Amino acid sequence: MFEENAVCKMLGLKYPIFQGGMAWLGTAELASAVSEAGGLGIIGAGHMPPDVLRAEIQKVKKATKKPFGVNIMLMSPFVKEVMQLMLDERVPVVTTGAGNPGEYIPSLKEIGTKVIPVVASVALAKRLVRTGVDAIIAEGMESGGHIGELTTMALVPQVVDAVDVPVIAAGGIGDSRGICAAFALGAQAVQMGTRFVMSEECIAHENYKNLVLKARDRSTVITGRTTGHPARVLQNKLTRIYLEKEAAGASAEELEKLGLGTLRMAAREGDVEMGSVMIGQISGMMNDIKPVRVILEDLVNGVSAVAENARKNFR
Ligand code: TUI
């Protein structure tokens, strides 16, 4: 299966499944497990200083010979140094998020790195394709963390129609049904974050994973709509305080301060009361924690039955 898939061929993957490059959660352990099992593992650089990121990259290179990626958060204070590190380490795939990576694309392309930005709009997708990116990740607002305004269902087909490079769908995809739905919209691969947070290899604190196990369909909320940096997180004490202040007209500066360092608090220290538990809307269907290899096998093994089931409605 997937021998003719354009994204698998371009990147040398067994499965057209990316693991989202999540800050504090997309570590070398998770990324190398996903790549070794046939998907694309992605280190989440977040706000990592370059020396820490270099060590993570070297860990992945030691653990697997398969292709892997690094996600660069464009709001990071280290973005320039981190981009130079991509060149020094000849990272095979670079994905970007939370901004426009335009100025960095030519030098990455020059050394053969595949550049695949995450976008939340057709306009940015079109602009970036003109600068020579290899594919586009179209991410809907069902995703955890920093999000745009459109849903995956509305965004993906519009991006597919607007660009001539492969599109990877992200946001709200957690099982074989989501993969088939993404393919039906014209995507040629998927990216998943939440599903891989709920893996044995993800180092998220057990409090974080346990809270996701308890999540229901409406357990996430969006903070930061007024700051220009909206983010989807599980509702907790922090979000209740944050949203109350936001509704009362608190300044962007005060709100940003309230959120500072809170992802690390939740993901690593296990403070899921006053930390940011970033997770997607599909957290309501996460009922188990499995090894990465089993997650990928279950996803892939399920697609034929889902496609067949969908076809029944046409007969
Ligand atoms: O980047 C993400 N998800 C993230 S980043 C993150 S860490 C963070 N830290 C501080 C503030 C906010 C977040 C946690 N989760 N996903 C990819 C993504 N990119 N979603 C939306 C976008 C995006 C938004 C606007 C990409 C481009 C963009 O346009 C900028 C422009 O210049 O047009």
Side-chain angles (χ1 to χ4, degrees):
M1 208 163 25
F2 305 123
E3 288 82 9
E4 290 171 31
N5 181 286
V7 175
C8 288
K9 283 209 277 200
M10 181 198 296
L11 304 179
L13 305 176
K14 187 171 174 200
Y15 305 136
I17 300 174
F18 293 14
Q19 161 249 315
M22 302 164 287
W24 295 110
L25 299 173
T27 61
E29 283 112 315
L30 180 59
S32 59
V34 173
S35 285
E36 190 55 24
L40 185 72
I42 301 179
I43 299 168
H47 287 111
M48 258 186 219
D51 55 326
V52 177
L53 180 56
R54 187 190 300 274
E56 288 293 294
I57 292 168
Q58 288 172 352
K59 254 199 249 176
V60 173
K61 285 180 176 171
K62 239 191 190 152
T64 183
K65 294 281 160 274
K66 306 240 168 87
F68 69 95
V70 172
N71 173 262
I72 300 180
M73 220 280 283
L74 293 162
M75 286 192 281
S76 161
F78 304 110
V79 62
K80 281 215 155 61
E81 294 101 304
V82 161
M83 286 293 183
Q84 183 56 47
L85 180 61
M86 299 300 102
L87 302 174
D88 297 344
E89 289 290 329
R90 297 192 156 263
V91 171
V93 182
V94 167
T95 66
T96 64
N100 182 344
E103 62 183 291
Y104 305 106
I105 293 167
S107 56
L108 290 168
K109 294 277 303 170
E110 205 170 296
I111 63 156
T113 290
K114 301 291 184 206
V115 183
I116 312 185
V118 178
V119 306
S121 72
V122 168
L124 185 58
K126 281 166 88 167
R127 217 180 310 148
L128 291 173
V129 166
R130 283 200 291 273
T131 66
V133 300
D134 296 282
I136 291 280
I137 301 170
E139 186 189 270
M141 53 81 84
E142 297 93 322
S143 293
H146 180 50
I147 51 172
E149 290 187 2
L150 296 178
T151 61
T152 300
M153 181 78 101
L155 177 67
V156 170
Q158 295 188 73
V159 173
V160 166
D161 286 347
V163 303
D164 55 5
V165 296
V167 173
I168 297 103
I173 304 170
D175 62 12
S176 310
R177 293 173 297 182
I179 295 176
C180 283
F183 287 176
L185 296 175
Q188 290 174 285
V190 296
Q191 172 163 286
M192 298 182 175
T194 299
R195 181 59 270 190
F196 288 111
V197 169
M198 301 303 278
S199 68
E200 285 179 3
E201 289 87 342
C202 179
I203 55 115
H205 194 281
E206 63 171 332
N207 295 351
Y208 199 103
K209 291 182 181 175
N210 285 336
L211 207 63
V212 176
L213 285 175
K214 282 196 236 144
R216 296 199 259 192
D217 56 344
R218 298 180 63 207
S219 296
T220 67
V221 294
I222 300 172
T223 59
R225 277 194 167 107
T226 63
T227 68
H229 298 141
R232 182 177 302 285
V233 293
L234 271 187
Q235 190 165 40
N236 63 4
K237 191 168 170 192
L238 173 66
T239 66
R240 279 187 278 274
I241 294 170
Y242 189 110
L243 291 172
E244 214 166 272
K245 281 188 188 286
E246 198 168 18
S251 68
E253 196 184 4
E254 185 189 345
L255 293 168
E256 296 282 348
K257 216 162 114 195
L258 188 60
L260 211 65
T262 53
L263 176 56
R264 180 178 198 281
M265 276 163 58
R268 297 294 187 88
E269 289 153 26
D271 183 354
V272 293
E273 282 264 290
M274 284 305 288
S276 280
V277 185
M278 289 185 172
I279 207 80
Q281 283 187 321
I282 53 138
S283 46
M285 48 183 210
M286 291 297 112
N287 301 314
D288 49 14
I289 296 165
K290 302 190 280 197
V292 158
R293 185 170 295 281
V294 176
I295 291 176
L296 283 169
E297 283 168 2
D298 287 354
L299 289 170
V300 170
N301 290 338
V303 290
S304 301
V306 174
E308 187 46 42
N309 204 37
R311 279 196 71 80
K312 279 185 195 154
N313 298 296
F314 296 100
R315 288 204 282 267

